[in-house]
Amino acid sequence: MKTKTLVIIISAVLAISLAASAILYFGGERKTAEIYVDGELLRSIDLAAVTETQTFTVETEEGANVIEVERGRIRVSDADCPDRVCVRSGWLSEGDIPIVCLPHGLVIRLSSGGEVDSVSR
């Protein structure tokens, strides 16, 4: 009787954990990557809708940045700027710190689709 009760308890905990994980993974807040060049929105990408790795180049008069997008994250994988801080920033998947390439005027930031506050206007 103890073994049967233990199996039922473990099964229930496992089922609840799997359901919670599925809700967090599939039903969580949708994030959009917004790519700006010189303050103007160039492209907006729904990171949850990305099914395979995408790579494209953003070219400006000052130079070029290669952008790589995967499900849930985005990065600058290559750039011809002298300091390459944007490349060293790595993947952006959460948080408030954008990827910035000052020499090229490029900014990549995440938006969660919520209301815009007075600071970000």
Side-chain angles (χ1 to χ4, degrees):
M1 185 98 143
K2 285 184 175 184
T3 304
K4 189 174 184 179
T5 304
L6 185 60
V7 168
I8 291 172
I9 292 172
I10 290 173
S11 297
V13 169
L14 183 61
I16 291 169
S17 298
L18 287 174
S21 296
I23 289 170
L24 290 174
Y25 184 75
F26 294 110
E29 191 174 273
R30 297 186 76 82
K31 291 186 182 161
T32 302
E34 297 174 339
I35 302 170
Y36 294 87
V37 175
D38 294 328
E40 293 186 32
L41 182 62
L42 176 71
R43 193 167 182 179
S44 186
I45 302 168
D46 181 0
L47 296 179
V50 176
T51 57
E52 58 186 41
T53 301
Q54 301 173 12
T55 304
F56 58 92
T57 303
V58 174
E59 295 186 30
T60 66
E61 293 178 10
E62 292 78 19
N65 296 82
V66 179
I67 311 293
E68 186 175 354
V69 183
E70 292 182 354
R71 181 178 176 91
R73 62 189 195 161
I74 188 169
R75 73 175 177 157
V76 176
S77 61
D78 194 21
D80 59 5
C81 54
D83 57 9
R84 298 174 47 92
V85 170
C86 54
V87 176
R88 290 195 309 262
S89 294
W91 290 100
L92 180 61
S93 60
E94 58 185 44
D96 296 330
I97 301 173
I99 297 173
V100 178
C101 180
L102 285 178
H104 299 165
L106 175 82
V107 176
I108 302 173
R109 69 179 192 90
L110 294 183
S111 171
S112 60
E115 285 191 29
V116 177
D117 63 10
S118 62
V119 174
S120 60
R121 273 186 228 182

